[in-house]
Amino acid sequence: MLRRLCGPFFVLAGAMHFIKPRVYRKIVPPYLPAPEALVYLSGVAEAAGGLGLMIPSLRSRARWWLAATLLAIFPANLHMAQHPEQYPQIPGGARSLKLRLPFQAAFIAWVLAAGRPPKD
């Protein structure tokens, strides 16, 4: 069940970058260039990876694509955890921002598992 949800989850997550771009723009670390472009690129990357997980012939490559995407967006999560005062709107404050960090690893494990070929 979780395997089937992974693709649609990331399609929706990617779409949210276009639906609520200002929310994502606020979490791009200030040391990265072109924050607006990064928001849209990361949205496309997530949605494309999610779609890839739903297409059997692309599933294996999509899992690595999404794992790389999650690693690429990790600096945003790290920046938020290091500067919680900049994100007062996040429920749970500093504690929840720090707890988000290990969830990146859980998401990576999820996409890698979801993209694995089914066992015969």
Side-chain angles (χ1 to χ4, degrees), residues 18-93:
F18 293 88
I19 296 167
K20 300 262 186 187
R22 277 188 267 148
V23 170
Y24 293 91
R25 166 61 185 92
K26 289 178 185 176
I27 66 173
V28 175
Y31 55 84
L32 293 176
E36 190 169 340
L38 290 174
V39 167
Y40 293 124
L41 285 171
S42 61
V44 168
E46 287 183 6
L51 281 171
L53 285 179
M54 294 186 280
I55 301 169
S57 63
L58 299 177
R59 194 170 288 142
S60 179
R61 282 180 270 165
R63 71 188 235 174
W64 295 111
W65 173 267
L66 272 174
T69 299
L70 289 166
L71 287 171
I73 62 173
F74 187 75
N77 292 314
L78 186 58
H79 177 78
M80 292 174 72
Q82 291 173 328
H83 305 282
E85 70 284 353
Q86 295 176 14
Y87 307 98
Q89 74 280 12
I90 302 292

Coordinates of all heavy atoms in Angstrom, one line a residue, residues 18-93:
F18 N 4.0 24.8 -7.3 CA 3.4 25.7 -8.3 C 2.1 26.3 -7.7 O 1.7 27.4 -8.1 CB 3.0 24.9 -9.6 CG 4.3 24.5 -10.3 CD1 4.9 23.3 -10.0 CD2 4.9 25.3 -11.2 CE1 6.1 22.9 -10.7 CE2 6.0 25.0 -11.9 CZ 6.6 23.8 -11.6
I19 N 1.4 25.6 -6.8 CA 0.2 26.1 -6.2 C 0.5 27.1 -5.1 O -0.2 28.1 -5.0 CB -0.6 24.9 -5.6 CG1 -1.1 24.0 -6.8 CG2 -1.8 25.4 -4.8 CD1 -1.6 22.6 -6.4
K20 N 1.5 26.9 -4.3 CA 1.9 27.8 -3.2 C 3.4 28.1 -3.3 O 4.2 27.8 -2.4 CB 1.6 27.1 -1.9 CG 0.2 26.7 -1.6 CD -0.4 27.7 -0.8 CE -1.8 27.3 -0.4 NZ -2.5 28.3 0.2
P21 N 3.9 28.7 -4.4 CA 5.3 28.9 -4.5 C 5.9 29.8 -3.5 O 7.1 29.7 -3.1 CB 5.4 29.6 -5.9 CG 4.1 30.1 -6.2 CD 3.1 29.3 -5.5
R22 N 5.1 30.8 -2.9 CA 5.7 31.7 -1.9 C 6.1 30.9 -0.7 O 7.1 31.3 0.0 CB 4.7 32.8 -1.6 CG 4.8 33.9 -2.5 CD 4.0 35.1 -2.1 NE 2.7 35.0 -2.8 CZ 1.5 35.3 -2.3 NH1 1.4 35.9 -1.1 NH2 0.4 35.1 -2.9
V23 N 5.4 29.9 -0.3 CA 5.7 29.1 0.9 C 7.0 28.4 0.7 O 7.9 28.5 1.6 CB 4.6 28.0 1.1 CG1 5.0 27.0 2.2 CG2 3.3 28.7 1.5
Y24 N 7.3 27.9 -0.5 CA 8.5 27.2 -0.8 C 9.7 28.2 -0.9 O 10.8 27.9 -0.6 CB 8.4 26.3 -2.0 CG 7.5 25.2 -1.7 CD1 6.1 25.2 -2.0 CD2 8.0 24.0 -1.1 CE1 5.3 24.2 -1.7 CE2 7.1 22.9 -0.8 CZ 5.8 23.0 -1.1 OH 4.9 22.0 -0.8
R25 N 9.4 29.4 -1.5 CA 10.4 30.4 -1.7 C 11.0 30.8 -0.4 O 12.2 31.1 -0.3 CB 9.7 31.6 -2.5 CG 10.5 32.9 -2.5 CD 11.9 32.7 -3.2 NE 12.7 33.9 -3.1 CZ 13.5 34.2 -2.2 NH1 13.7 33.4 -1.1 NH2 14.3 35.3 -2.2
K26 N 10.1 30.9 0.7 CA 10.6 31.3 2.0 C 11.6 30.3 2.6 O 12.3 30.7 3.5 CB 9.4 31.4 2.9 CG 8.5 32.6 2.6 CD 7.3 32.7 3.6 CE 6.4 33.8 3.2 NZ 5.2 33.7 4.1
I27 N 11.6 29.1 2.2 CA 12.5 28.1 2.8 C 13.8 27.9 2.0 O 14.6 27.1 2.4 CB 11.8 26.8 3.1 CG1 11.4 26.0 1.9 CG2 10.6 27.1 4.1 CD1 10.8 24.7 2.2
V28 N 13.9 28.5 0.9 CA 15.2 28.4 0.1 C 16.3 29.1 0.9 O 16.1 30.3 1.2 CB 15.0 28.9 -1.3 CG1 16.4 28.9 -2.0 CG2 14.0 28.2 -2.1
P29 N 17.4 28.5 1.2 CA 18.4 29.1 2.0 C 18.9 30.4 1.2 O 19.0 30.3 0.0 CB 19.5 28.1 2.1 CG 18.8 26.8 1.9 CD 17.7 27.0 1.0
P30 N 19.2 31.4 1.9 CA 19.6 32.7 1.2 C 21.0 32.6 0.5 O 21.2 33.4 -0.4 CB 19.8 33.7 2.4 CG 19.9 32.9 3.6 CD 19.2 31.6 3.4
Y31 N 21.8 31.6 0.7 CA 23.0 31.5 0.0 C 22.9 30.8 -1.4 O 23.8 30.7 -2.1 CB 24.1 30.7 0.9 CG 23.6 29.4 1.3 CD1 23.7 28.2 0.5 CD2 23.1 29.2 2.6 CE1 23.3 27.0 1.0 CE2 22.7 28.0 3.1 CZ 22.8 26.9 2.2 OH 22.4 25.6 2.7
L32 N 21.7 30.3 -1.7 CA 21.5 29.6 -3.0 C 21.0 30.7 -4.0 O 20.1 31.5 -3.6 CB 20.5 28.5 -2.8 CG 20.9 27.3 -2.0 CD1 19.8 26.3 -1.9 CD2 22.1 26.7 -2.7
P33 N 21.4 30.6 -5.2 CA 21.0 31.5 -6.2 C 19.6 31.2 -6.8 O 19.1 30.1 -6.7 CB 22.0 31.4 -7.3 CG 22.4 29.9 -7.2 CD 22.4 29.6 -5.7
A34 N 19.0 32.2 -7.4 CA 17.7 32.0 -8.1 C 16.6 31.2 -7.3 O 16.2 30.2 -7.8 CB 18.0 31.4 -9.5
P35 N 16.2 31.7 -6.2 CA 15.3 30.9 -5.3 C 14.0 30.6 -6.0 O 13.5 29.4 -5.9 CB 15.0 31.8 -4.1 CG 15.9 33.0 -4.3 CD 16.6 33.0 -5.6
E36 N 13.5 31.5 -6.8 CA 12.2 31.2 -7.5 C 12.4 30.0 -8.5 O 11.6 29.1 -8.5 CB 11.6 32.4 -8.2 CG 10.2 32.2 -8.7 CD 9.6 33.5 -9.1 OE1 10.1 34.6 -8.7 OE2 8.6 33.5 -9.9
A37 N 13.4 30.1 -9.2 CA 13.7 29.0 -10.2 C 13.9 27.7 -9.5 O 13.5 26.6 -9.9 CB 15.0 29.4 -11.0
L38 N 14.6 27.7 -8.3 CA 14.8 26.5 -7.6 C 13.5 25.9 -7.1 O 13.4 24.7 -7.0 CB 15.8 26.8 -6.4 CG 17.3 27.1 -6.8 CD1 18.1 27.4 -5.6 CD2 17.9 25.8 -7.5
V39 N 12.6 26.8 -6.7 CA 11.3 26.3 -6.2 C 10.6 25.5 -7.3 O 10.1 24.4 -7.2 CB 10.4 27.4 -5.7 CG1 9.0 27.0 -5.6 CG2 10.9 28.0 -4.4
Y40 N 10.6 26.1 -8.5 CA 9.9 25.5 -9.6 C 10.7 24.2 -10.1 O 10.1 23.2 -10.4 CB 9.7 26.4 -10.8 CG 8.7 27.5 -10.4 CD1 9.0 28.9 -10.5 CD2 7.4 27.2 -10.0 CE1 8.1 29.9 -10.2 CE2 6.5 28.2 -9.6 CZ 6.9 29.5 -9.7 OH 6.0 30.5 -9.4
L41 N 12.0 24.3 -10.2 CA 12.8 23.1 -10.6 C 12.6 21.9 -9.6 O 12.5 20.8 -10.1 CB 14.3 23.5 -10.7 CG 14.7 24.3 -11.9 CD1 16.1 24.8 -11.8 CD2 14.5 23.5 -13.2
S42 N 12.6 22.2 -8.3 CA 12.4 21.2 -7.4 C 11.0 20.6 -7.5 O 10.8 19.4 -7.3 CB 12.8 21.6 -5.9 OG 11.9 22.7 -5.5
G43 N 10.0 21.4 -7.8 CA 8.7 21.0 -8.0 C 8.6 20.0 -9.2 O 7.9 19.0 -9.1
V44 N 9.2 20.4 -10.3 CA 9.2 19.6 -11.5 C 9.9 18.3 -11.1 O 9.5 17.2 -11.5 CB 9.9 20.3 -12.6 CG1 10.2 19.4 -13.8 CG2 9.0 21.5 -13.1
A45 N 11.0 18.3 -10.4 CA 11.8 17.1 -10.1 C 11.0 16.2 -9.3 O 11.0 15.0 -9.5 CB 13.1 17.5 -9.4
E46 N 10.3 16.7 -8.3 CA 9.5 15.8 -7.4 C 8.3 15.2 -8.2 O 8.1 14.0 -8.1 CB 8.9 16.6 -6.2 CG 10.0 16.9 -5.2 CD 9.4 17.6 -4.0 OE1 8.2 17.8 -3.8 OE2 10.2 18.0 -3.1
A47 N 7.6 16.0 -9.0 CA 6.5 15.5 -9.8 C 6.9 14.5 -10.8 O 6.3 13.4 -11.0 CB 5.7 16.7 -10.4
A48 N 8.0 14.8 -11.5 CA 8.6 13.8 -12.5 C 9.0 12.5 -11.8 O 8.7 11.4 -12.4 CB 9.7 14.5 -13.2
G49 N 9.6 12.6 -10.7 CA 10.0 11.4 -10.0 C 8.8 10.6 -9.6 O 8.7 9.4 -9.7
G50 N 7.8 11.3 -9.1 CA 6.5 10.6 -8.7 C 5.8 9.9 -9.8 O 5.4 8.8 -9.7
L51 N 5.8 10.6 -11.0 CA 5.2 10.0 -12.2 C 6.0 8.8 -12.6 O 5.4 7.8 -12.9 CB 5.1 11.0 -13.3 CG 4.0 12.1 -13.3 CD1 4.2 13.1 -14.3 CD2 2.7 11.4 -13.4
G52 N 7.3 8.9 -12.5 CA 8.2 7.8 -12.9 C 8.0 6.6 -12.0 O 8.0 5.5 -12.5
L53 N 7.7 6.8 -10.8 CA 7.4 5.7 -9.9 C 6.1 4.9 -10.3 O 6.0 3.7 -10.0 CB 7.3 6.1 -8.4 CG 8.6 6.4 -7.7 CD1 8.3 6.9 -6.3 CD2 9.5 5.3 -7.7
M54 N 5.2 5.6 -11.0 CA 3.9 5.0 -11.3 C 4.0 4.3 -12.7 O 3.1 3.7 -13.1 CB 2.8 6.1 -11.3 CG 2.6 6.6 -10.0 SD 1.2 7.8 -9.9 CE 1.9 9.3 -10.5
I55 N 5.1 4.5 -13.4 CA 5.3 3.8 -14.7 C 6.4 2.7 -14.6 O 7.5 3.0 -14.3 CB 5.7 4.9 -15.8 CG1 4.7 6.0 -15.9 CG2 6.0 4.2 -17.1 CD1 5.1 7.2 -16.7
P56 N 5.9 1.5 -14.7 CA 6.8 0.4 -14.4 C 8.2 0.5 -15.1 O 9.2 0.2 -14.5 CB 6.1 -0.9 -14.8 CG 4.6 -0.5 -14.6 CD 4.6 1.0 -15.0
S57 N 8.2 0.9 -16.4 CA 9.5 0.9 -17.1 C 10.4 2.0 -16.6 O 11.6 2.0 -16.9 CB 9.2 1.1 -18.6 OG 8.6 2.3 -18.9
L58 N 9.9 3.0 -15.9 CA 10.7 4.1 -15.4 C 11.0 4.0 -13.9 O 11.7 4.8 -13.4 CB 10.0 5.4 -15.7 CG 9.7 5.8 -17.2 CD1 9.0 7.1 -17.3 CD2 11.0 5.8 -17.9
R59 N 10.3 3.1 -13.3 CA 10.3 3.0 -11.8 C 11.7 3.0 -11.2 O 12.0 3.7 -10.3 CB 9.5 1.8 -11.3 CG 9.2 1.8 -9.9 CD 8.2 0.8 -9.5 NE 6.9 1.1 -10.0 CZ 6.0 0.3 -10.6 NH1 6.3 -1.0 -10.7 NH2 4.9 0.7 -11.0
S60 N 12.6 2.2 -11.8 CA 13.9 2.0 -11.2 C 14.7 3.3 -11.3 O 15.4 3.7 -10.3 CB 14.7 0.9 -12.0 OG 16.0 0.8 -11.4
R61 N 14.7 4.0 -12.5 CA 15.4 5.3 -12.6 C 14.7 6.3 -11.7 O 15.4 7.2 -11.2 CB 15.4 5.7 -14.1 CG 16.5 4.9 -14.8 CD 16.5 5.3 -16.2 NE 15.6 4.5 -16.9 CZ 15.1 4.7 -18.1 NH1 15.4 5.7 -18.8 NH2 14.3 3.8 -18.7
A62 N 13.4 6.3 -11.6 CA 12.7 7.3 -10.9 C 13.1 7.3 -9.4 O 13.1 8.3 -8.7 CB 11.2 7.1 -11.0
R63 N 13.3 6.1 -8.9 CA 13.6 6.0 -7.4 C 15.0 6.7 -7.2 O 15.1 7.4 -6.2 CB 13.7 4.5 -7.0 CG 14.8 3.7 -7.5 CD 14.7 2.3 -7.2 NE 15.9 1.9 -6.5 CZ 16.2 0.7 -6.0 NH1 15.2 -0.2 -6.0 NH2 17.3 0.5 -5.4
W64 N 15.9 6.5 -8.1 CA 17.2 7.2 -7.9 C 17.1 8.7 -8.1 O 17.7 9.5 -7.5 CB 18.3 6.6 -8.8 CG 18.6 5.2 -8.4 CD1 18.3 4.1 -9.1 CD2 19.2 4.7 -7.2 NE1 18.6 2.9 -8.4 CE2 19.2 3.3 -7.2 CE3 19.7 5.4 -6.0 CZ2 19.7 2.6 -6.1 CZ3 20.2 4.6 -5.0 CH2 20.2 3.2 -5.0
W65 N 16.3 9.1 -9.1 CA 16.0 10.5 -9.4 C 15.4 11.2 -8.1 O 15.9 12.2 -7.7 CB 15.0 10.6 -10.5 CG 14.5 12.0 -10.8 CD1 13.4 12.6 -10.3 CD2 15.2 13.0 -11.6 NE1 13.3 13.9 -10.8 CE2 14.4 14.1 -11.6 CE3 16.4 13.0 -12.4 CZ2 14.7 15.3 -12.3 CZ3 16.7 14.1 -13.1 CH2 15.9 15.3 -13.0
L66 N 14.4 10.5 -7.5 CA 13.8 11.1 -6.3 C 14.7 11.1 -5.1 O 14.7 12.1 -4.3 CB 12.5 10.4 -6.0 CG 11.2 10.9 -6.6 CD1 10.1 10.0 -6.3 CD2 10.9 12.3 -6.2
A67 N 15.5 10.1 -5.0 CA 16.5 10.1 -3.9 C 17.5 11.2 -4.0 O 17.8 11.9 -3.1 CB 17.3 8.7 -3.8
A68 N 17.9 11.5 -5.3 CA 18.8 12.6 -5.5 C 18.1 13.9 -5.3 O 18.7 14.9 -4.7 CB 19.4 12.5 -6.9
T69 N 16.9 14.0 -5.7 CA 16.1 15.2 -5.4 C 16.0 15.5 -3.9 O 16.2 16.7 -3.5 CB 14.7 15.1 -6.1 OG1 14.9 15.0 -7.5 CG2 13.9 16.4 -5.8
L70 N 15.7 14.5 -3.2 CA 15.6 14.7 -1.7 C 16.9 15.1 -1.1 O 16.9 15.9 -0.2 CB 15.0 13.4 -1.1 CG 13.5 13.1 -1.4 CD1 13.2 11.7 -1.0 CD2 12.6 14.1 -0.7
L71 N 18.0 14.5 -1.6 CA 19.3 15.0 -1.1 C 19.5 16.4 -1.5 O 20.1 17.2 -0.7 CB 20.4 14.1 -1.6 CG 20.5 12.7 -1.0 CD1 21.5 11.9 -1.8 CD2 20.8 12.8 0.4
A72 N 19.1 16.8 -2.7 CA 19.3 18.2 -3.1 C 18.5 19.2 -2.4 O 19.0 20.4 -2.2 CB 19.0 18.3 -4.6
I73 N 17.4 18.8 -1.9 CA 16.6 19.8 -1.1 C 16.9 19.8 0.4 O 16.4 20.6 1.2 CB 15.1 19.6 -1.4 CG1 14.6 18.3 -0.9 CG2 14.7 19.9 -2.8 CD1 13.1 18.1 -1.0
F74 N 17.7 18.8 0.8 CA 18.1 18.7 2.2 C 18.6 20.0 2.8 O 18.3 20.4 3.9 CB 19.1 17.6 2.5 CG 19.3 17.3 3.9 CD1 18.4 16.7 4.7 CD2 20.5 17.8 4.5 CE1 18.6 16.5 6.1 CE2 20.8 17.6 5.9 CZ 19.8 16.9 6.6
P75 N 19.4 20.8 2.0 CA 19.9 22.1 2.6 C 18.8 23.0 3.1 O 19.0 23.8 4.0 CB 20.7 22.7 1.5 CG 21.2 21.5 0.7 CD 20.1 20.5 0.8
A76 N 17.7 23.0 2.4 CA 16.5 23.8 2.9 C 16.1 23.4 4.2 O 15.8 24.2 5.1 CB 15.4 23.8 1.8
N77 N 15.9 22.1 4.4 CA 15.5 21.6 5.7 C 16.5 21.9 6.8 O 16.2 22.2 7.9 CB 15.3 20.0 5.7 CG 14.1 19.7 4.8 OD1 13.0 20.3 4.9 ND2 14.2 18.8 3.9
L78 N 17.8 21.7 6.5 CA 18.9 22.0 7.4 C 18.9 23.5 7.8 O 19.0 23.8 9.0 CB 20.2 21.6 6.8 CG 21.4 21.7 7.7 CD1 21.3 20.9 9.0 CD2 22.7 21.2 7.0
H79 N 18.7 24.3 6.8 CA 18.7 25.8 7.0 C 17.5 26.1 8.0 O 17.7 26.9 8.9 CB 18.6 26.6 5.7 CG 18.5 28.0 5.9 ND1 19.6 28.8 6.2 CD2 17.4 28.9 5.9 CE1 19.2 30.1 6.3 NE2 17.9 30.1 6.2
M80 N 16.4 25.5 7.7 CA 15.2 25.8 8.6 C 15.5 25.4 10.0 O 15.2 26.1 11.0 CB 14.0 25.1 8.1 CG 13.5 25.7 6.8 SD 12.2 24.7 6.0 CE 10.8 25.1 7.2
A81 N 16.1 24.2 10.2 CA 16.4 23.7 11.6 C 17.5 24.6 12.2 O 17.4 24.8 13.5 CB 16.9 22.3 11.5
Q82 N 18.4 25.1 11.5 CA 19.4 26.0 12.1 C 18.9 27.4 12.4 O 19.5 28.1 13.2 CB 20.6 26.1 11.1 CG 21.4 24.8 11.0 CD 22.5 24.8 9.9 OE1 22.3 25.5 8.9 NE2 23.5 24.1 10.2
H83 N 17.8 27.8 11.7 CA 17.3 29.2 11.9 C 15.8 29.2 12.1 O 15.0 29.8 11.4 CB 17.6 30.0 10.6 CG 19.1 30.0 10.3 ND1 20.0 30.8 11.0 CD2 19.8 29.4 9.4 CE1 21.2 30.6 10.5 NE2 21.1 29.7 9.5
P84 N 15.4 28.5 13.2 CA 13.9 28.4 13.4 C 13.2 29.7 13.6 O 12.0 29.8 13.4 CB 13.9 27.5 14.7 CG 15.2 27.6 15.3 CD 16.2 27.9 14.2
E85 N 14.0 30.7 14.1 CA 13.3 32.0 14.3 C 12.8 32.6 13.0 O 12.0 33.5 13.1 CB 14.4 33.0 15.0 CG 15.5 33.4 14.1 CD 16.6 32.4 13.9 OE1 16.6 31.3 14.5 OE2 17.5 32.7 13.1
Q86 N 13.3 32.2 11.9 CA 12.9 32.7 10.6 C 11.6 32.0 10.1 O 11.0 32.4 9.1 CB 14.0 32.5 9.5 CG 15.2 33.3 9.8 CD 16.3 33.0 8.8 OE1 16.1 32.4 7.7 NE2 17.5 33.4 9.1
Y87 N 11.1 31.0 10.9 CA 10.0 30.2 10.4 C 9.0 30.1 11.6 O 8.6 29.0 12.0 CB 10.4 28.8 9.9 CG 11.5 29.0 8.9 CD1 12.9 28.9 9.2 CD2 11.2 29.3 7.6 CE1 13.8 29.0 8.2 CE2 12.1 29.5 6.6 CZ 13.5 29.4 6.9 OH 14.4 29.6 6.0
P88 N 8.5 31.2 12.1 CA 7.6 31.1 13.3 C 6.2 30.5 12.9 O 5.5 30.0 13.8 CB 7.4 32.6 13.7 CG 7.7 33.3 12.4 CD 8.7 32.6 11.7
Q89 N 5.9 30.4 11.6 CA 4.6 29.8 11.2 C 4.6 28.3 11.2 O 3.6 27.7 11.0 CB 4.3 30.4 9.8 CG 5.1 29.8 8.6 CD 6.4 30.4 8.4 OE1 7.0 31.1 9.2 NE2 7.1 30.0 7.3
I90 N 5.8 27.7 11.3 CA 5.8 26.2 11.4 C 5.4 25.7 12.7 O 5.9 26.1 13.7 CB 7.3 25.7 11.1 CG1 7.8 26.3 9.8 CG2 7.4 24.2 11.2 CD1 7.1 25.7 8.5
P91 N 4.3 24.9 12.7 CA 3.8 24.3 14.0 C 4.9 23.5 14.7 O 5.7 22.7 14.0 CB 2.7 23.4 13.5 CG 2.3 23.9 12.2 CD 3.5 24.4 11.6
G92 N 5.1 23.7 15.9 CA 6.1 22.9 16.7 C 7.4 23.6 16.8 O 8.3 23.2 17.5
G93 N 7.6 24.7 16.0 CA 8.8 25.5 16.1 C 10.1 24.7 15.9 O 10.2 23.8 15.1

